[in-house]
């Protein structure tokens, strides 16, 4: 089970830190990612972290603004979001996939999903 928290309403230029806590199994061998879904749009990839945290990838529009990190001792993955823009408004989902699966940007690659947390950025 994955449970996200940390969403909310923030003004443009502000920051939020999302957390995703995994329970029920050890996710240290899983790659962890964040996706987001804006109203009326498909769910899209935001960021991913390898099981060790040594390798990360980002969607182009968030590079330099968002940072994904994880603490395997606490079964938690984070998404630090800075310089937020109104177009970042979406429901943000945490997801886990087997580390052997290289297709990090595809939602079909993921075995486990959280329920999502709403992020709203006002202009």
């Amino acid at each position: 089970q994955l449970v996200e928290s940390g969403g909310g309403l923030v003004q443009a230029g502000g920051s939020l830190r999302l957390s995703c806590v995994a329970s029920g199994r050890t996710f240290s061998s899983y790659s962890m990612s964040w996706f987001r879904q804006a109203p009326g749009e498909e769910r899209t990839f935001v960021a991913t972290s390898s099981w060790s945290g040594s390798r990360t990838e980002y969607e182009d529009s968030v590079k330099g603004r968002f940072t994904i990190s994880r603490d395997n001792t606490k079964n938690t993955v984070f998404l630090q979001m800075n310089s937020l823009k109104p177009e970042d408004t979406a429901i943000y989902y945490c997801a886990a996939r087997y580390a052997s699966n290289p297709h990090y940007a595809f939602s079909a690659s993921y075995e486990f999903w959280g329920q999502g947390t709403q992020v709203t950025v006002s202009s």
Side-chain angles (χ1 to χ4, degrees):
Q1 181 182 8
L2 303 175
V3 179
E4 302 97 333
S5 62
L9 173 63
V10 64
Q11 288 187 330
S15 299
L16 283 174
R17 189 190 195 205
L18 305 184
S19 299
C20 171
V21 179
S23 62
R25 66 177 62 229
T26 301
F27 281 86
S28 59
S29 60
Y30 287 75
S31 294
M32 302 295 294
S33 300
W34 290 92
F35 283 71
R36 63 186 178 185
Q37 186 168 18
E41 298 185 10
E42 294 184 354
R43 192 173 300 187
T44 58
F45 167 77
V46 175
T48 190
S49 171
S50 62
W51 69 270
S52 67
S54 62
R55 181 189 173 195
T56 58
E57 300 286 348
Y58 297 91
E59 190 268 328
D60 286 345
S61 71
V62 307
K63 285 181 180 178
R65 301 188 298 123
F66 291 11
T67 302
I68 187 172
S69 61
R70 63 191 295 170
D71 183 345
N72 287 339
T73 65
K74 298 180 180 179
N75 261 7
T76 303
V77 62
F78 305 97
L79 185 67
Q80 177 67 44
M81 305 186 295
N82 299 328
S83 302
L84 283 161
K85 305 175 181 180
E87 52 263 43
D88 294 319
T89 295
I91 299 174
Y92 283 71
Y93 296 92
C94 173
R97 77 181 191 281
Y98 296 120
S100 59
N101 187 333
H103 306 294
Y104 59 82
F106 297 96
S107 59
S109 297
Y110 292 81
E111 285 71 38
F112 304 99
W113 291 87
Q115 84 291 346
T117 185
Q118 177 70 48
V119 171
T120 303
V121 184
S122 63
S123 57

